[in-house]
Amino acid sequence: MLSEVLTIVLLGSFVEAVPAPWGGWGFHHKGHGINVQLGPRPYYLVDNMDAGPLKEKLQSCTEKPIKTSSFSIGHRGAPLQFPEHSRQSYMAAARMGAGQLVCRHSQCDLHFTTNILETPLAAKCSTLFKPANPKTGEPASANCCTSDITLAEFKSLCAKMEGNGDNAAVNGTEFQGRLSPTPDYRTDLYATCGTPMSHKDSIELINSYGLQFTPELKTPEVDMPFQGDYTQEEYAQQMIDEYKEMGIDPSRVWPQSFLPDDIFYWIDNEPEFAKQAVYLDERVDTADGYAEAVASLPGLKDRGVKIMAPAIFALVNVSDSGEIVPSPYAEAAKEVGLDIITWSWERDPPISQGVAYYYQSVADAVNNDGDEYTIIDVVARKVGALKMFADWPGTITYYANCFGIGL
């Protein structure tokens, strides 16, 4: 039970979409067994773009049959509309011609991604729900981790749209978002009890569609060694072992981690799986960390790392002339021969509501929602990213089809 609990606790499981045996309606391309449906958003974004050659190019593809693209990655599924981590979210992302479907984004997020505080399992949470105290101003709080419960208990929960707890909540129902609504750029329309999945469940689902896998070894939020004897190395090995046990060829797996030691472990101990290992680089969040990251790229290449994956803003800057251009990080990675994957489009509110985390480095060059495609174009064609994560993968799938990427 320990190993199964840790798997759902700490792994984020993603999948790249390739042909899948699905029926349904929408455009269908022979040989790509899923009828890809993007929804209206990509077309809205293209219409919203400033006039120019890129808009004309993207407009020329509006009636083009759409194929699945390995360039398009569904970050946590399609959480712009569906509860992240849920089976329904993964299926929506695959329907949009994408994948990278997250099994669990974090070990300790059940109090705002599931209904756990409305169930008897609330009594097992690491930090029990504490109501707000209006007299002292102390906010409501809770912390519920997958390591707090069994696999069967985890599967009994309902996935819901992610939302931060209501600081003024006096009970678990209020804290889980009923009085603190889903952000206005998302929707609760499909949040009718999403189905949570373990890592093994996700492997079975993905494999049944013949897709590729990009599992993320989540950074532990419990003390390691866990319960005194389960080490970080055993954890990294277990993730790979689950693919071996199910007969998955290493060429279909893109293991990821924010921890460089995990990447190095796979390079040293699982070289076949490490060929596509992805170093998720969050050092770029600070100025000093960004400089350190850029300086470290040659050494990481020499150590055997092949793919770096920082957030979008780390890859683009604004030139003196106001043009969006590749950043020093992007140029340095290209110079030493490192590939790039980036995350996560449409995770922030729409650009028209103000520039937030993911587009922060180009805030002076964007002001409408259509500008998203301008950034995507620079990251795709000038930075040369291999793949892109998105909370609404149809946006990336449309771009990839128009430019013939990953088809």
Side-chain angles (χ1 to χ4, degrees):
M1 180 57 68
L2 170 62
S3 63
E4 284 208 79
V5 168
L6 275 178
T7 297
I8 61 170
V9 166
L10 303 176
L11 288 178
S13 176
F14 304 81
V15 56
E16 280 173 31
V18 293
W22 290 20
W25 59 92
F27 284 125
H28 176 68
H29 187 274
K30 184 177 180 181
H32 285 249
I34 180 172
N35 291 323
V36 176
Q37 303 169 47
L38 303 182
R41 182 159 180 77
Y43 309 95
Y44 158 78
L45 292 173
V46 172
D47 185 62
N48 191 245
M49 293 176 68
D50 296 331
L54 179 59
K55 181 173 184 176
E56 292 173 6
K57 170 64 175 176
L58 292 173
Q59 283 178 324
S60 74
C61 301
T62 56
E63 305 309 317
K64 179 180 180 178
I66 301 296
K67 305 176 185 178
T68 293
S69 171
S70 62
F71 184 69
S72 176
I73 301 171
H75 179 238
R76 315 185 193 186
L80 197 62
Q81 287 196 4
F82 295 83
E84 60 186 62
H85 316 314
S86 69
R87 183 183 185 92
Q88 292 78 8
S89 189
Y90 309 158
M91 293 173 70
R95 177 63 70 191
M96 285 187 279
Q100 297 273 37
L101 312 181
V102 182
C103 178
R104 283 241 61 80
H105 175 256
S106 173
Q107 175 195 349
C108 295
D109 67 356
L110 298 185
H111 48 293
F112 58 87
T113 61
T114 75
N115 66 334
I116 190 169
L117 293 182
E118 300 176 86
T119 77
L121 294 175
K124 290 190 169 186
C125 288
S126 294
T127 302
L128 299 181
F129 172 74
K130 185 177 181 180
N133 188 327
K135 293 183 179 179
T136 64
E138 186 177 3
S141 61
N143 191 46
C144 304
C145 306
T146 44
S147 52
D148 296 333
I149 58 179
T150 67
L151 180 58
E153 289 170 336
F154 170 76
K155 289 187 175 184
S156 74
L157 298 173
C158 290
K160 74 176 193 68
M161 295 299 287
E162 180 188 29
N164 293 326
D166 180 358
N167 289 337
V170 297
N171 58 52
T173 297
E174 292 183 4
F175 187 79
Q176 296 215 267
R178 303 303 184 267
L179 297 183
S180 179
T182 297
D184 60 9
Y185 59 94
R186 296 181 182 164
T187 178
D188 287 315
L189 183 62
Y190 305 104
T192 56
C193 190
T195 306
M197 300 181 74
S198 72
H199 181 238
K200 288 184 177 179
D201 289 340
S202 71
I203 295 177
E204 290 175 356
L205 176 65
I206 293 160
N207 195 42
S208 72
Y209 298 144
L211 310 181
Q212 295 186 36
F213 307 81
T214 312
E216 180 189 341
L217 197 75
K218 299 306 297 186
T219 301
E221 293 186 50
V222 295
D223 292 334
M224 299 293 277
F226 184 62
Q227 295 186 349
D229 60 359
Y230 184 80
T231 67
Q232 183 71 24
E233 292 77 14
E234 289 175 312
Y235 167 41
Q237 186 62 53
Q238 181 190 343
M239 189 186 82
I240 300 300
D241 286 346
E242 291 188 351
Y243 289 95
K244 290 180 173 181
E245 290 167 8
M246 300 186 71
I248 305 299
D249 190 276
S251 65
R252 297 176 62 196
V253 183
W254 301 64
Q256 303 183 71
S257 178
F258 279 103
L259 302 179
D261 284 348
D262 293 337
I263 307 296
F264 301 153
Y265 176 86
W266 293 324
I267 291 170
D268 294 339
N269 296 279
E270 292 289 351
E272 290 302 307
F273 283 89
K275 288 179 180 178
Q276 298 174 145
V278 181
Y279 180 176
L280 300 166
D281 194 353
E282 62 184 346
R283 297 173 296 170
V284 298
D285 280 353
T286 66
D288 288 345
Y290 185 98
E292 173 197 340
V294 172
S296 73
L297 295 179
L300 290 170
K301 174 69 174 179
D302 291 342
R303 182 64 176 83
V305 177
K306 293 180 171 58
I307 307 171
M308 300 298 296
I312 297 161
F313 71 84
L315 298 174
V316 286
N317 285 344
V318 180
S319 71
D320 292 340
S321 63
E323 181 184 5
I324 298 175
V325 296
S327 70
Y329 187 111
E331 298 286 8
K334 182 183 296 185
E335 183 176 346
V336 299
L338 286 164
D339 286 322
I340 291 290
I341 293 175
T342 193
W343 42 277
S344 296
W345 305 96
E346 312 212 73
R347 185 69 186 164
D348 279 339
I351 291 173
S352 58
Q353 294 185 18
V355 175
Y357 176 79
Y358 289 102
Y359 307 145
Q360 60 185 285
S361 62
V362 295
D364 293 339
V366 299
N367 56 33
N368 61 62
D369 295 347
D371 286 336
E372 182 176 340
Y373 269 130
T374 302
I375 309 171
I376 288 170
D377 187 60
V378 173
V379 175
R381 295 203 289 163
K382 295 183 179 180
V383 173
L386 284 178
K387 310 172 189 296
M388 297 184 184
F389 290 84
D391 277 26
W392 194 246
T395 298
I396 305 301
T397 302
Y398 182 87
Y399 178 92
N401 273 261
C402 199
F403 283 92
I405 304 172
L407 305 179

